[in-house]
Amino acid sequence: MQALRQILHLTAKDLRIEARSRQTLGLVVVLGILIVTVLGLGLGAQQSGGPAATAVLWVAYLFSGVLCFEKTMALERHDGALAGLLLAPLDRGVIYAGKLLSNLVLMFAVGAVITPVGILFFGFDLSAHPLGFLAIMGMSLIGFAAVGTLFAALVSSTRLAGGLLAMVVFPVTLPLVISSTQMMSRLFAEAGQWNGRAFAILLAFDLIFVVVSWLAFEWVIEP
Amino acid sequence: MTSPWAVLQRTLWTAGLLSLAAAIGILLVYTPTEATMGPVQKIFYLHLPMAINTFLACLVVFIASIGYLWQRSTWWDDLAAAAAKVAVVLCSGVLITGMIWGRSAWGQWWTWSPRLTFSLMLWLLYVVYLTVRMSIESAQRRAVVSAAYGVIAFLDVPLVWLSARLLPDIHPASIQLIAPMKLTLAIWFVPVTLIACGLIMARYNLNRLNRQWQRGVELVDTPAPRMRVAGGVA
């Protein structure tokens, strides 16, 4: 119970900073819209429809996600905030959970803007299974944020932070990309079938990497 | 003068190269040529052992990464780096032989079939491992980041495999082999495994020497501490 309160406290702190500075969201949302636009222009009108839209949304999520995770971690690097956080009488796992939660809130906020734009530009008809779409994307974002939060904490102390983060997170999240796009194509193109196996992979990814990242965090975090 | 370690290495390499020569001889003389694919099928005897050894090398990276996070001794880090490099080399071999096979069996160099996709994703995972190592300057930070990545990447492998299987498949799930072919395959595991181990050991030695040398350079480069005169300006 106390741990939960601490997690919420940390998340609230991050979100409060974000609400006052509006540094991350503005940047990340604009980047996402730019990516969707560039890909829309590049692919042209003939490529519109389900599969292309999911792929484009994924590219937008991946890049804006990496930027988002990097920014929220960079916040802690200012004025030795992280050292203070590590000195606080908290379990390190709680720090991870708090960061993950605030990253998730931000990513859902970003997704709430980018996704409609992508759907609009690519003429993706969601009306058949809106809830299925939300569930798949939501679960993918959880797994993505779990890995991203851990690696953001790891590479933030290195000189190349941003580029390196993208490089380590992208290959690890490939299973999410494959299983969610496969589920989408089954759900929207092939008469609304629910791809159970892909869903199981998504679920397994979320569980494994939330738990492992949470455990690994205290071994790797350094002020 | 020769340490047991050096003797072990020399034995490994001698056995590996000798068995490689024997395996090539057997492949040319004894192994029957497959009916539909012809001589190209023989690439399979190299392909499968390399694939299995890639996993073994990845497993070594995983164990060494956990070892490093646990004990923080540099030799775990050097071992992980060595194994990752060998894993990438082997996985490149798997990809190339697989593509040659694909070209001859299905007429295409590349298809997004599960196993090809899986090999590519595995290759990317460990190429990124090596790139991460190259791009972090602080030795201690590099070791921690790459160890964490080594653990996560290995845990990702089964998920990558399962997700790749969601793609439509044309790769042979199991290949029917007659007895001499099975024997050839079994024989080919010997040199490939020995050479893979030999490469990991050689690379590990090099990493250890490199670390010693780095330490030496740091000692030489660091200026001697300035003498402080108590209570006054030096």
Side-chain angles (χ1 to χ4, degrees), chain B residues 26-223:
Chain B
I26 286 170
L27 188 68
L28 292 176
V29 179
Y30 167 74
T31 314
T33 307
E34 209 250 352
T36 47
M37 280 189 67
V40 180
Q41 186 265 348
K42 292 193 175 182
I43 209 167
F44 169 74
Y45 303 113
L46 181 61
H47 179 73
L48 188 64
M50 282 208 296
I52 303 285
N53 274 292
T54 307
F55 295 128
L56 293 180
C58 296
L59 182 66
V60 174
V61 177
F62 176 64
I63 293 170
S65 299
I66 289 185
Y68 180 79
L69 287 179
W70 180 38
Q71 294 187 325
R72 308 273 164 156
S73 47
T74 53
W75 68 270
W76 281 119
D77 184 46
D78 289 332
L79 180 62
K85 201 156 257 182
V86 174
V88 169
V89 169
L90 285 171
C91 198
S92 311
V94 172
L95 272 175
I96 291 166
T97 50
M99 278 162 72
I100 295 171
W101 174 286
R103 172 72 188 158
S104 123
W106 313 309
Q108 273 171 312
W109 288 109
W110 186 261
T111 60
W112 290 101
S113 86
R115 282 171 219 227
L116 279 175
T117 314
F118 172 68
S119 315
L120 178 65
M121 291 200 284
L122 190 67
W123 185 81
L124 279 173
L125 271 175
Y126 283 88
V127 166
V128 165
Y129 179 94
L130 296 182
T131 331
V132 167
R133 294 197 70 91
M134 280 195 302
S135 39
I136 303 178
E137 272 172 18
S138 147
Q140 195 260 343
R141 204 63 208 140
R142 173 174 61 225
V144 174
V145 174
S146 47
Y149 183 81
V151 172
I152 298 276
F154 188 76
L155 292 175
D156 204 33
V157 169
L159 292 166
V160 169
W161 165 240
L162 288 171
S163 65
R165 278 184 49 192
L166 296 170
L167 302 167
D169 195 5
I170 53 170
H171 193 285
S174 64
I175 298 173
Q176 292 298 316
L177 295 176
I178 55 171
M181 288 179 169
K182 279 184 187 158
L183 183 66
T184 315
L185 184 60
I187 289 170
W188 266 88
F189 268 99
V190 179
V192 175
T193 312
L194 287 175
I195 290 173
C197 292
L199 282 174
I200 292 179
M201 284 165 94
R203 190 66 224 181
Y204 171 77
N205 279 352
L206 206 58
N207 288 347
R208 291 309 290 170
L209 285 174
N210 203 10
R211 199 179 281 274
Q212 277 169 20
W213 175 74
Q214 288 284 355
R215 207 169 285 154
V217 169
E218 275 163 25
L219 284 179
V220 171
D221 282 354
T222 324

